[in-house]
């Protein structure tokens, strides 16, 4: 009819179907079954072997007390100078932290002399962490991230507030959404030790509004009700193509 024709002339219609997440949502205390499964290479999409000992370490920490630090699986080293300042900033907070830092000279060259000994017990470095298990753990209070899209979605999925340090590519756009539109995190302005310490204190001590925002966003995109809405939209899209574009369906069936 005329209304339908006018609607089509306005341009393409966008049907939201995301966010696309792997199974395994759940927040809070881990079950024994989850603990036994942690680090299973069949469960994680990462090509790196995760160090599951960090989960036992997290079990011994207070709720929402740990700063988790990871710059993802493909971003290169941020450089010895920044690694050094980040390490000293984490040390200065006096807070427990879990840092996924590749065990490679090019990545760990900047660690200060004696750092591991000074933070022993309250700081843990691992080559790679089972990120989904870490982010769902009740001990994690914030996530210092490069703002990769997968990491961003996983943080939202598990209700973790963010401290952002984008490095390249779409990470800057994701950071803008995190800090501006969604307001579920803040941006780390620089990698000097005082900047690191101050930003962590701000997120951990004064981040109640960030936590409220991330819970609200999670309700909108990753709860079962939200996923059912996405599934309905996918079915609606398929039904519309089948009904209104039969030639496309025939072509696909031939291919």
């Amino acid at each position: 009819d005329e209304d339908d024709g006018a609607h089509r002339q306005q341009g393409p219609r966008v049907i939201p179907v995301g966010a696309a997440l792997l199974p395994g949502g759940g927040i809070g205390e881990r079950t024994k079954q989850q603990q036994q499964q942690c680090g299973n290479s069949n469960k994680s999409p990462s090509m790196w072997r995760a160090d599951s000992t960090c989960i036992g370490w997290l079990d011994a920490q207070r709720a929402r007390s740990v700063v988790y630090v990871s710059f993802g699986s493909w971003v290169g080293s941020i450089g010895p100078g920044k690694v050094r300042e980040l390490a000293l900033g984490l040390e200065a907070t006096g807070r427990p932290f879990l840092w996924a830092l590749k065990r490679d000279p090019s990545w760990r060259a900047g660690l200060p002399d004696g750092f591991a000994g000074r933070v022993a017990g309250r700081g843990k470095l691992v080559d790679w962490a089972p990120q989904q298990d870490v982010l769902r753990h009740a001990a994690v209070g914030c996530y210092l991230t490069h703002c990769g899209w997968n990491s961003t979605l996983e943080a939202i999925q598990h209700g973790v507030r963010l401290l952002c340090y984008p490095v390249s590519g779409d990470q800057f756009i994701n950071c803008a959404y995190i800090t501006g539109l969604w307001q579920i995190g803040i941006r780390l302005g620089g990698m000097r030790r005082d900047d690191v310490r101050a930003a962590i204190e701000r997120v951990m001590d004064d981040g109640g509004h960030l936590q409220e925002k991330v819970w609200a966003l999670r309700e909108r995109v990753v709860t079962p009700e939200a996923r059912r809405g996405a599934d309905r939209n996918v079915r609606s899209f398929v039904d519309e193509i089948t009904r209104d574009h039969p030639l496309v369906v025939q072509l696909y069936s031939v291919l």
Side-chain angles (χ1 to χ4, degrees):
D1 56 34
E2 293 184 2
D3 290 340
D4 186 52
H7 174 74
R8 292 180 183 177
Q9 292 175 4
Q10 292 174 0
R13 184 160 58 93
V14 177
I15 302 176
V17 298
L21 291 161
L22 293 173
I27 299 175
E29 298 295 341
R30 299 161 48 79
T31 67
K32 290 183 178 179
Q33 182 180 9
Q34 287 173 328
Q35 292 173 3
Q36 292 168 354
Q37 291 175 343
C38 175
N40 187 331
S41 59
N42 294 326
K43 179 184 175 184
S44 171
S46 173
M47 294 183 293
W48 295 9
R49 184 176 180 83
D51 183 347
S52 61
T53 63
C54 61
I55 301 302
W57 180 85
L58 285 171
D59 289 340
Q61 309 304 317
R62 292 183 296 106
R64 300 290 180 187
S65 67
V66 174
V67 179
Y68 172 51
V69 182
S70 174
F71 292 102
S73 58
W74 70 269
V75 173
S77 172
I78 58 177
K82 291 180 179 179
V83 167
R84 174 181 175 80
E85 290 298 305
L86 176 54
L88 293 173
L90 289 168
E91 181 181 354
T93 67
R95 296 178 182 273
F97 64 87
L98 171 63
W99 188 356
L101 184 64
K102 190 175 179 181
R103 197 180 303 275
D104 182 277
S106 66
W107 288 63
R108 295 198 177 192
L111 290 177
D113 292 340
F115 173 72
R118 294 195 302 272
V119 300
R122 73 170 179 87
K124 185 172 179 63
L125 274 70
V126 296
D127 189 46
W128 185 243
Q131 184 155 289
Q132 288 270 23
D133 294 298
V134 169
L135 290 174
R136 72 160 56 92
H137 200 288
V140 174
C142 82
Y143 175 18
L144 172 50
T145 174
H146 63 308
C147 302
W149 187 238
N150 286 341
S151 293
T152 299
L153 288 181
E154 288 165 0
I156 295 170
Q157 180 181 16
H158 299 297
V160 179
R161 66 191 84 166
L162 298 169
L163 179 56
C164 304
Y165 190 76
V167 178
S168 64
D170 69 331
Q171 297 161 16
F172 294 94
I173 299 173
N174 299 337
C175 175
Y177 273 88
I178 290 167
T179 60
L181 183 63
W182 301 332
Q183 298 179 28
I184 61 174
I186 64 172
R187 182 165 180 172
L188 178 57
M191 197 56 89
R192 295 182 296 272
R193 67 193 73 176
D194 290 340
D195 296 328
V196 173
R197 179 192 56 77
I200 288 175
E201 296 297 339
R202 181 180 168 193
V203 172
M204 295 291 278
D205 289 340
D206 304 321
H209 67 290
L210 301 176
Q211 193 64 60
E212 292 175 2
K213 291 286 188 178
V214 75
W215 282 125
L217 183 58
R218 179 183 181 275
E219 289 296 318
R220 290 173 54 191
V221 299
V222 301
T223 57
E225 182 179 352
R227 298 307 305 155
R228 284 193 291 271
D231 291 341
R232 284 195 299 270
N233 285 346
V234 171
R235 288 195 298 271
S236 174
F237 171 74
V238 173
D239 290 343
E240 183 174 317
I241 293 296
T242 303
R243 182 185 67 248
D244 298 339
H245 304 279
L247 291 179
V248 173
V249 177
Q250 292 177 18
L251 178 61
Y252 178 79
S253 64
V254 171
L255 296 176

